[in-house]
Amino acid sequence: MPDNKYAIKKLSEGFEGQLSCILPEATKRFCATHALCRKLYITDIGFYPHAGLHNRERPKGCTQYILIYCIEGEGWYRLYDKTFMVKADQYFILPKLQGHEYGAADKEPWSIYWVHFTGEQAEHLYRFLTPRKQAGPQTVARSPMRQMIFDDILHHLEFMNNTESIVYANCNLYAFITSFKQVQLKTADKKGNSIQTVIALMKDNLDKNLTLEEFAAAVNISASHLSALFREKTKYSPISLFTSLKIQKASQLLQESDYNIKTVASKLGYDDQYHFSRVFKKIMGVSPRKFKETGNN
């Protein structure tokens, strides 16, 4: 990679506490061809605290996708001739090559983390994080880990002439961006609580053969309603998920213990070793005997 002076900025003339990093063209070309970066990489990244008078207008859009995450205050953005208000704990992603405008609110200007990203998988991540049926910004739970990842990325980008630091930062970009995917199971609504309760019950009883009716009784809803909730939130039926959890535990026991297959099957509630082997192979793609022999390595 060519030797380039990096463009890290801590600007006293900008917003107090502002941090930003703009990758030089040579670094972006390096990322675009590197095996571990080309699928997803940063071109610009930063943090603007209390960004009063912050405004950007790009009539022809940008060649990268732009993720903006508001942690305090308020702002807005305009996309597809629609204007959306943005509050704390909300994010939005602007698609590439699409005209847009965004800015801070006048009274309580936003504090935002932002990143421009591109690469072979950028569009897939954009679609993954942008629900088709929910226009406007998405609300996301706060995460100390998300901020730690961001800080770590920015820190490593300071060492712009170190190719390992650049690769490391861009690999961490996956974790930062996907942290905005709100996993429905972790929501605090009643549906989410019922599912979490049942999953906890499953994990505590992997040695038993609990039924759908027993799971439903544990959360005081009908079996059919519980099945519908599970399929909506997890894409599994309750029994399918219970079986999957059993096989995950079986895999761990086969790899990390001296138990034979019959003992592992018994510990997971299977009286018939051969039935256990069929279920294991269906889920894992190999028999438990072969899995144990190879260590799945």
Side-chain angles (χ1 to χ4, degrees), residues 104 136 157 262:
L157 289 179
K262 184 177 181 179

Side-chain angles (χ1 to χ4, degrees), residues 250-257 280 284 286-297:
S251 299
Q252 177 186 338
L253 291 174
L254 288 169
Q255 278 192 336
E256 301 176 3
S257 74
F280 188 97
M284 299 301 295
V286 295
S287 69
R289 185 175 304 280
K290 186 174 183 180
F291 183 91
K292 187 172 181 64
E293 288 174 352
T294 61
N296 199 35
N297 291 327

Side-chain angles (χ1 to χ4, degrees), residues 60-81:
K60 295 183 179 181
C62 183
T63 55
Q64 305 94 33
Y65 293 85
I66 305 172
L67 184 151
I68 295 179
Y69 171 40
C70 176
I71 60 168
E72 290 181 347
E74 298 180 351
W76 57 272
Y77 69 100
R78 186 172 296 113
L79 183 67
Y80 302 125
D81 296 323

Side-chain angles (χ1 to χ4, degrees), residues 35 41 79 83 102 111-112 125 134 136-137 139 155 172 175 181 185 201 205 220 237 258 276 290:
Y41 62 93
L79 183 67
T83 300
Y102 55 86
S111 294
I112 57 171
L125 282 167
Q134 299 179 26
T139 300
H155 169 70
N172 272 341
K181 182 67 175 180
L185 287 179
L201 181 63
N205 292 276
N220 297 313
S237 70
D258 294 328
F276 164 74
K290 186 174 183 180

Side-chain angles (χ1 to χ4, degrees), residues 9-269:
K9 300 187 293 183
K10 301 181 180 182
L11 303 179
S12 60
E13 69 269 26
F15 313 110
E16 184 177 356
Q18 171 179 334
L19 296 170
S20 65
C21 179
I22 302 171
L23 274 69
E25 289 301 318
T27 304
K28 289 188 280 189
R29 288 195 297 270
F30 167 81
C31 292
T33 58
H34 192 281
L36 295 179
C37 299
R38 67 186 183 210
K39 293 185 181 298
L40 183 72
Y41 62 93
I42 300 160
T43 63
D44 310 76
I45 189 169
F47 170 61
Y48 290 168
H50 309 294
L53 304 179
H54 177 228
N55 181 272
R56 293 288 184 272
E57 182 178 8
R58 300 184 181 93
K60 295 183 179 181
C62 183
T63 55
Q64 305 94 33
Y65 293 85
I66 305 172
L67 184 151
I68 295 179
Y69 171 40
C70 176
I71 60 168
E72 290 181 347
E74 298 180 351
W76 57 272
Y77 69 100
R78 186 172 296 113
L79 183 67
Y80 302 125
D81 296 323
K82 294 183 179 180
T83 300
F84 302 96
M85 302 306 297
V86 182
K87 298 182 179 180
D89 301 319
Q90 290 187 325
Y91 76 93
F92 60 95
I93 302 178
L94 299 170
K96 69 176 183 179
L97 303 177
Q98 180 62 51
H100 60 256
E101 185 178 6
Y102 55 86
D106 294 332
K107 292 185 179 180
E108 296 184 20
W110 61 14
S111 294
I112 57 171
Y113 290 95
W114 55 269
V115 59
H116 291 225
F117 64 94
T118 188
E120 297 169 7
Q121 293 185 349
E123 181 177 354
H124 298 294
L125 282 167
Y126 165 69
R127 296 186 183 280
F128 180 66
L129 290 167
T130 307
R132 295 182 181 180
K133 298 181 180 179
Q134 299 179 26
Q138 304 298 308
T139 300
V140 65
R142 294 204 174 194
S143 167
M145 182 60 68
R146 183 184 300 125
Q147 183 169 343
M148 287 175 61
I149 294 171
F150 181 91
D151 292 342
D152 195 32
I153 289 172
L154 200 55
H155 169 70
H156 279 82
L157 289 179
E158 292 179 347
F159 303 97
M160 190 65 67
N161 292 329
N162 186 322
T163 57
E164 290 185 355
S165 290
I166 297 299
V167 172
Y168 175 87
N170 281 301
C171 287
N172 272 341
L173 182 61
Y174 282 95
F176 178 70
I177 292 180
T178 56
S179 74
F180 290 93
K181 182 67 175 180
Q182 190 71 22
V183 179
Q184 294 182 359
L185 287 179
K186 294 183 179 179
T187 58
D189 61 15
K190 187 175 181 180
K191 294 180 181 179
N193 286 339
S194 295
I195 293 173
Q196 289 287 59
T197 298
V198 171
I199 292 176
L201 181 63
M202 291 177 179
K203 291 180 178 179
D204 289 340
N205 292 276
L206 294 177
D207 59 329
K208 299 181 177 65
N209 292 311
L210 300 181
T211 65
L212 174 61
E213 288 71 24
E214 288 174 306
F215 290 134
V219 288
N220 297 313
I221 60 178
S222 70
S224 60
H225 185 40
L226 180 65
S227 291
L229 286 181
F230 260 78
R231 290 190 181 279
E232 175 190 352
K233 297 287 188 179
T234 72
K235 311 304 179 188
Y236 280 93
S237 70
I239 296 303
S240 293
L241 181 58
F242 190 35
T243 301
S244 179
L245 292 172
K246 282 174 175 278
I247 298 305
Q248 289 178 34
K249 182 63 176 179
S251 299
Q252 177 186 338
L253 291 174
L254 288 169
Q255 278 192 336
E256 301 176 3
S257 74
D258 294 328
Y259 294 137
N260 60 33
I261 295 170
K262 184 177 181 179
T263 300
V264 171
S266 178
K267 286 184 173 292
L268 276 305

